[in-house]
Amino acid sequence: MILDPIAEASSSRAEIEREVARRRTFAIISHPDAGKTTLTEKLLLYAGAIELAGAVRGRHARRHATSDWMELEQQRGISITSAALEFELQGRRMSLIDTPGHDDFSEDTYRALIAADGVVMVIDAANGVEDRTRKLFEVCRRHRLPILTFINKLDRPARDPLELIDDLERTLGIAAAPVNWPIGSAERFRGVYDMSSRTFLRYQREAQGQHRAPVTVSSLDDPNAREMIGEDLYAHFRESLDVISEAGSAFDLAEYRAGRQTPVFFGSALTNFGLEPFLQALVEFSPPPQERSSDTGVVHPIDERFTGFVFKIQANMDRRHRDRVAFVRVCSGRFTKDMIVSNSRLGNSIRASRAYRFFGRERETIEVAYAGDIVGLVNPGQFGIGDTLHSGPALRFPELPRFPAEHFGRMRLKDTRYKQFDEGIRQLEEEGLMQVFYLASSRREPLIGVVGALQYDVIASRLKNEYGVAAEIEPQEYAAARWLANVDGPPPPLGGGRVMAADSHDRPVILFTSEWELRYFERHHPDVVLFEESPGLR
Ligand SMILES: Nc1nc2c(ncn2[C@@H]2O[C@H](COP(=O)(O)OP(=O)(O)OP(=O)(O)O)[C@@H](O)[C@H]2O)c(=O)[nH]1
Ligand SMILES: [Mg+2]
């Protein structure tokens, strides 16, 4: 065989282009409890990636939702950590990230958003646009992420659909284009009307919702359909439709892709209604991997050199291996197993010998990955959140958002398993779940700083389940931590509402008892430069 380097290069290029074109990576976001995890589970069911849908809350013996794999998530029926799920659908490689809605876990959600190219926004039909949704939407707008909206829980009493559309447009300042329209809600939920095909999808309640529900499609001109809907509901529906067709936006792919318009779907994830059209829209409309900016210029997904960044680290997902996984969003090129990748923060290189793709907690070894893919690398201690990985010359993607800790608690070990305790503290800090500080007076009892107090429960529960350590966390009066920029300078004046501490790398930190104290200090000591985060992370 004659090797032709030009032909080989162009075939590799063609392969990258082909693979990138079929990838879709998106995150599911909303206010807590709107139904993200339930919708995720049902999308997996309808995509054929699972055979039986699990529930968010359920008796012990029942299946749990794939994306809520952590023990505490299953006990509480809430999502605590984002979960990546990869599956094939109609020739597309879909990567979906289910995110936690609760404010206290929002750092994780923000990072997942940056790893995605598009977003699914879930709205509870009874509540409309809620506080968290508004905040997350702002991040989407900043990153120009296209959004598909699913208005959920139509099987329960809901607000009028015209009001919901109006709420989306007013509160978020985005055009909302209904793709289908619901008729009735709760006991009188009859189904949805598809605006473009002008057909009616009839709602039939599936008792458990574990299996796919049958769909009945008919025309609304059919007198049987009208009778089934009921005259009053039908009349109200016709009126709404007139309003929407006069004053509403029609779906426009370019407007959606530019983040100026969101197509809106109505349904009920729990009872398996409205999922087919939504999944179809995800396949057809959502964008392929997008270009990314870096400090050395724009990186195109079809560039041949491999680049990516670590957006999440998670320890102990697999009970048998007890390892730490760094989740990498691939941004360009071709990643291959055993490839040597460089980390631009550390300036070192390592062999990526253990690379996986994920489906909730489950993993599978991969040989190759392209832009859009989420790859899990197992290399203990080698990666930090936000690290840029690459082949070829060094580059850096923008830093990922970090939120300064606002709550501080003293960790107290209740048994004598110091080694496991130290290990747990180190790994949970590496995940970004908390920051760890030591006061000179008590090395044995670290102070931990978190963004939201719910994280205390997560930390205590994970120390127990994953490290076999009983620890309790006692809230302390501190409200902010700041790193000293000048480590070798004279010690800053202390006393009042501030004390010196050190982080786990022995870097000096000042702890303040209130935001006010911090501001006061900054005003009176403009010469002391403070950082919101550890300089070691840069
Ligand atoms: N009636 C009804 N209940 C639903 C529907 N979708 C979800 N739920 C219920 O709403 C609750 C919250 O659902 P989740 O899927 O956990 O919501 P989430 O948005 O993932 O919540 P967090 O991840 O904690 O923010 C659960 O009890 C679900 O069973 C629906 O279509 N109809
Ligand atoms: Mg959830």
Side-chain angles (χ1 to χ4, degrees):
M1 199 172 78
I2 304 162
L3 284 179
D4 176 351
I6 296 172
E8 209 165 278
S10 76
S11 87
S12 142
R13 173 112 193 165
E15 173 198 316
I16 292 176
E17 281 179 15
R18 195 176 56 241
E19 290 297 331
V20 166
R22 73 182 196 93
R23 275 159 168 76
R24 298 292 182 272
T25 306
F26 53 95
I28 301 205
I29 55 161
S30 77
H31 195 78
D33 265 4
K36 297 175 289 298
T37 301
T38 308
L39 180 63
T40 298
E41 189 74 358
K42 297 308 172 70
L43 293 178
L44 298 178
L45 176 74
Y46 275 70
I50 54 173
E51 280 171 13
L52 203 62
V56 169
R57 291 177 226 274
R59 276 167 279 117
H60 222 59
R62 276 182 49 196
R63 249 186 79 92
H64 285 284
T66 318
S67 53
D68 277 354
W69 54 267
M70 198 184 273
E71 208 154 309
L72 196 62
E73 291 181 318
Q74 298 178 351
Q75 279 167 17
R76 301 230 174 146
I78 58 169
S79 301
I80 287 172
T81 188
S82 56
L85 303 127
E86 219 176 274
F87 56 95
E88 288 278 330
L89 181 65
Q90 298 175 21
R92 292 264 152 88
R93 168 68 63 85
M94 315 291 283
S95 296
L96 186 165
I97 311 170
D98 180 24
T99 69
H102 198 289
D103 205 4
D104 290 9
F105 311 126
S106 48
E107 200 165 335
D108 195 53
T109 301
Y110 278 53
R111 292 180 194 140
L113 270 177
I114 293 171
D117 298 300
V119 162
V120 167
M121 181 166 76
V122 186
I123 305 280
D124 183 325
N127 302 333
V129 177
E130 294 173 90
D131 183 47
R132 292 293 310 147
T133 307
R134 207 171 302 129
K135 294 209 174 88
L136 292 164
F137 175 82
E138 276 313 314
V139 182
C140 298
R141 194 208 300 271
R142 243 189 344 267
H143 293 272
R144 296 207 184 84
L145 289 167
I147 301 171
L148 286 176
T149 301
F150 188 81
I151 299 189
N152 192 29
K153 306 198 186 184
L154 265 296
D155 60 303
R156 300 192 7 115
R159 282 167 61 181
D160 191 88
L162 275 178
E163 232 180 276
L164 287 163
I165 294 287
D166 190 49
D167 188 21
L168 272 174
E169 297 203 321
R170 268 174 211 266
T171 320
L172 303 179
I174 189 173
V179 173
N180 55 35
W181 197 259
I183 305 178
S185 67
E187 293 81 43
R188 301 195 69 203
F189 183 40
R190 301 289 187 245
V192 295
Y193 175 77
D194 183 86
M195 313 284 266
S196 69
S197 68
R198 297 169 185 236
T199 50
F200 172 62
L201 273 66
R202 186 172 155 196
Y203 173 65
Q204 283 156 306
R205 196 187 164 99
E206 247 275 288
Q208 290 282 326
Q210 280 182 306
H211 299 278
R212 296 173 65 136
V215 203
T216 323
V217 181
S218 60
S219 154
L220 277 188
D221 302 327
D222 178 350
N224 286 339
R226 274 176 65 168
E227 194 178 321
M228 195 274 300
I229 290 168
E231 281 308 321
D232 58 334
L233 277 182
Y234 184 77
H236 181 67
F237 158 70
R238 295 284 353 165
E239 275 167 30
S240 308
L241 213 56
D242 287 345
V243 174
I244 275 294
S245 43
E246 233 166 75
S249 323
F251 172 63
D252 180 319
L253 185 65
E255 286 292 291
Y256 153 70
R257 287 273 181 93
R260 286 190 293 264
Q261 182 196 76
T262 178
V264 181
F265 296 76
F266 292 85
S268 158
L270 187 71
T271 61
N272 298 358
F273 188 77
L275 298 161
E276 291 95 342
F278 191 67
L279 197 59
Q280 200 52 40
L282 263 180
V283 171
E284 278 174 31
F285 306 155
S286 62
Q290 300 293 294
E291 53 187 44
R292 304 254 161 183
S293 59
S294 81
D295 63 346
T296 61
V298 172
V299 173
H300 297 275
I302 54 170
D303 287 352
E304 277 177 66
R305 70 121 154 208
F306 159 74
T307 66
F309 62 89
V310 177
F311 69 96
K312 177 183 176 70
I313 291 182
Q314 184 93 47
N316 312 314
M317 292 181 74
D318 187 326
R319 289 213 175 92
R320 286 159 307 180
H321 297 111
R322 293 248 167 253
D323 50 17
R324 279 174 279 166
V325 179
F327 286 87
V328 178
R329 149 79 199 219
V330 179
C331 299
S332 70
R334 192 168 182 274
F335 167 89
T336 49
K337 184 170 162 309
D338 288 325
M339 159 178 218
I340 305 288
V341 297
S342 306
N343 179 339
S344 56
R345 177 177 59 95
L346 301 171
N348 65 358
S349 300
I350 58 159
R351 180 181 294 276
S353 50
R354 292 200 281 157
Y356 303 94
R357 67 194 194 112
F358 276 81
F359 191 72
R361 168 179 262 167
E362 303 298 317
R363 60 173 85 174
E364 205 175 86
T365 305
I366 54 154
E367 298 295 327
V368 59
Y370 304 89
D373 284 344
I374 290 165
V375 174
L377 299 181
V378 176
N379 277 93
Q382 293 278 359
F383 301 119
I385 290 168
D387 284 358
T388 299
L389 306 182
H390 60 93
S391 59
L395 85 164
R396 280 202 184 197
F397 290 113
E399 282 179 31
L400 294 186
R402 281 198 171 252
F403 300 172
E406 289 176 25
H407 302 269
F408 294 79
R410 191 187 294 281
M411 287 277 270
R412 210 161 263 148
L413 183 60
K414 307 259 285 169
D415 52 38
T416 55
R417 297 166 67 90
Y418 284 107
K419 193 165 154 270
Q420 290 84 347
F421 179 66
D422 289 346
E423 172 91 351
I425 297 283
R426 199 164 46 76
Q427 295 188 357
L428 297 186
E429 185 179 32
E430 188 182 77
E431 280 188 17
L433 188 57
M434 60 188 190
Q435 293 170 339
V436 182
F437 306 101
Y438 296 90
L439 292 174
S441 52
S442 54
R443 287 296 299 182
R444 280 287 190 210
E445 294 181 349
L447 276 178
I448 57 169
V450 294
V451 177
L454 212 55
Q455 287 173 300
Y456 288 150
D457 294 1
V458 178
I459 292 162
S461 153
R462 291 191 55 191
L463 281 174
K464 186 158 178 291
N465 291 329
E466 296 167 25
Y467 301 90
V469 169
E472 64 181 16
I473 301 162
E474 195 182 292
Q476 302 288 304
E477 57 183 338
Y478 304 110
R482 291 292 183 274
W483 277 259
L484 279 179
N486 183 4
V487 177
D488 303 318
L494 297 171
R498 47 190 188 266
V499 296
M500 272 316 281
D503 71 4
S504 39
H505 299 283
D506 248 356
R507 294 187 192 97
V509 175
I510 310 180
L511 298 175
F512 297 88
T513 48
S514 66
E515 260 312 293
W516 185 87
E517 270 295 337
L518 168 62
R519 303 281 160 249
Y520 181 87
F521 182 88
E522 284 174 334
R523 244 189 347 265
H524 287 83
H525 304 282
D527 50 315
V528 181
V529 179
L530 300 176
F531 289 145
E532 268 195 5
E533 61 180 84
S534 165
L537 293 168
R538 286 151 192 267

